Amino acid sequence: MNVTVRLAQQPEADELLGRSALAALVGMLLDQQVPMEWAFTGPLTIAQRLGRDDLDAHEIATYSPEEFVALLSAKPAVHRYPAAMAKRVQQLCQFLVAQYDGDAAALWKDARTGKELLSRLNALPGFGKQKSQIFLALLGKQFGVRPEGWREAAGAYGEEGAHRSVADITGPESLTLVREFKQEMKRAAKEAKAAAKPRTTTRSATATATAAR
């Protein structure tokens, strides 16, 4: 695994992501409730604080939980919620040690289909369906991991030419497009929720009037 990515928008962090399967996986795990660049810089920060040039699943899996929380919480914190994410990163590494002998890349090395790979990703601690589909799309679009049917298994995130997620970020311009897409989705969801509220109120008022009669 040795590819050029620009997910963190920081050369040293991106270099690590491009050569380390575990770093890419941890970056994806951290990618929630913080800016994408912050999340994908996290693996480098963790590695540096451990005094390493890469992450090791065995080392992290057996690290003192209290000390690992402290390591992620030191300023600047690795995540907005460092204690919670420290626990999740350790759970992920413990799972990888138990199921794949600590080799993150083993998740996809022999996956025959996109559906099979998606199922493996879904089984990871901290990976729901959406996160798994996004990471599957990232593997296919930027890391050359393309088992049969990978685009279909990734859903809309696998679409060619889309700008929906981190899987589509290749530089500042695409990062802006992905951010705009996410903001539009939030705006549409907010408008839909606001539009539904008056109808709920109207139904409640009608029910109350009917009961009064």
Side-chain angles (χ1 to χ4, degrees):
M1 184 168 169
N2 191 7
V3 300
T4 300
V5 296
R6 300 185 68 183
L7 307 178
Q9 305 288 299
Q10 200 261 63
E12 194 174 359
D14 281 328
E15 189 275 332
L16 175 60
L17 295 169
R19 64 177 165 83
S20 169
L22 181 55
L25 205 58
V26 169
M28 189 72 243
L29 178 66
L30 295 172
D31 186 21
Q32 57 188 67
Q33 298 179 297
V34 295
M36 289 174 280
E37 310 97 293
W38 184 359
F40 281 93
T41 300
L44 175 66
T45 304
I46 295 171
Q48 290 176 332
R49 291 178 183 177
L50 287 170
R52 307 283 186 263
D53 63 0
D54 195 357
L55 300 180
D56 183 283
H58 292 274
E59 179 180 19
I60 294 173
T62 57
Y63 212 82
S64 161
E66 294 78 13
E67 291 180 10
F68 198 63
V69 168
L71 187 142
L72 268 67
S73 300
K75 294 183 179 181
V78 169
H79 193 275
R80 182 173 295 158
Y81 305 106
M85 296 313 295
K87 182 178 180 180
R88 290 189 181 185
V89 171
Q90 283 202 290
Q91 289 174 335
L92 172 64
C93 289
Q94 288 161 357
F95 181 90
L96 291 173
V97 168
Q99 300 296 323
Y100 297 97
D101 195 28
D103 181 9
L107 274 163
W108 53 82
K109 280 179 180 176
D110 63 347
R112 294 167 295 180
T113 66
K115 186 177 180 180
E116 180 182 358
L117 179 50
L118 180 63
S119 178
R120 293 183 184 185
L121 293 170
N122 268 323
L124 295 173
F127 275 66
K129 180 180 178 181
Q130 185 181 52
K131 189 180 288 288
S132 296
Q133 286 187 312
I134 291 173
F135 192 72
L136 175 54
L138 176 61
L139 288 173
K141 291 180 176 182
Q142 300 202 43
F143 288 90
V145 178
R146 296 165 183 162
E148 182 181 353
W150 70 272
R151 286 190 186 275
E152 292 78 6
Y157 300 108
E159 293 176 2
E160 189 172 0
H163 289 93
R164 295 174 179 271
S165 72
V166 68
D168 305 305
I169 295 175
T170 56
E173 290 185 10
S174 52
L175 173 61
T176 298
L177 291 174
V178 170
R179 281 231 165 87
E180 289 174 351
F181 173 81
K182 288 178 176 288
Q183 289 168 357
E184 177 59 25
M185 291 300 98
K186 288 181 180 178
R187 184 191 63 76
K190 187 176 181 180
E191 289 182 356
K193 184 177 180 180
K197 194 172 183 180
R199 291 198 293 273
T200 302
T201 303
T202 300
R203 286 197 298 271
S204 299
T206 302
T208 301
T210 301
R213 289 198 297 271

